[in-house]
Amino acid sequence: MSGKCVFLYLAGGVLAVGNYRIAALIHEGGHALFGWLFGGVCLWIRLGTILWVPGGGFVRGGRRKLSSAGECVLLCPDKKSLRWAAYGGGFANLFSALIASVFFIWLGKRGRIFCHFGLGVILFIICSLLMAFLSLFFRWGGEKNDGVLAKRCREEEFCRRMQRDQQRDLLRLEYGLLEEMF
């Protein structure tokens, strides 16, 4: 294997990790946007070890597992806002993949589809679609998976428990218990 080939594999890996982080940011932003549209309030968005608190800025925190790309913590007043906030991340990823696909087609018409930027767009589309489908349709993600949360929002007891958890998260934020947010 030549040095150029090894470099391209490494560059592709770095590009894939970067695109995964961008797709995770869009995903968590989708939760915040849909929650806000339906009456919720975003308490914080965490991506890896970086925590953003609206009105409070950025905080760099402890170590996180690689499997946890991020989270968006919301205060949702009712079942409808909770359900739409859960669906919001997947919908945001589907929308961003659609926009990237249109851009990819535009690159193809300009004859630049095989440039490094074209590879980045392809990897972004793949990352966004994977995040959308894994978060919306598959149950193996556990109880915290977006699709499972949205489906369980029909249950009254589940919604009460989620609202208790949201109140606990609000208290964490108010008392500055940052280590518990990571």
Side-chain angles (χ1 to χ4, degrees), residues 10-71:
L10 290 175
V14 168
L15 196 58
V17 169
N19 280 331
Y20 180 75
R21 287 291 191 196
I22 293 169
L25 177 65
I26 289 171
H27 180 88
E28 301 307 335
H31 287 307
L33 176 67
F34 273 70
W36 176 74
L37 288 174
F38 289 93
V41 176
C42 179
L43 295 180
W44 70 77
I45 294 177
R46 184 190 52 75
L47 289 172
T49 61
I50 299 172
L51 181 79
W52 175 67
V53 179
F58 291 93
V59 178
R60 190 155 178 84
R63 296 172 40 190
R64 249 340 231 193
K65 294 184 234 172
L66 285 176
S67 63
S68 178
E71 71 178 340

Side-chain angles (χ1 to χ4, degrees), residues 16-29 31 47 67-71 86-94 96-97 123-138 140 145-147:
V17 169
N19 280 331
Y20 180 75
R21 287 291 191 196
I22 293 169
L25 177 65
I26 289 171
H27 180 88
E28 301 307 335
H31 287 307
L47 289 172
S67 63
S68 178
E71 71 178 340
Y87 279 133
F91 287 145
N93 281 121
L94 286 175
S96 66
L123 288 173
F124 177 76
I125 293 169
I126 291 169
C127 289
S128 286
L129 289 176
L130 278 173
M131 288 190 85
F133 288 113
L134 293 177
S135 66
L136 288 177
F137 301 115
F138 293 104
W140 59 266
N145 188 21
D146 300 339

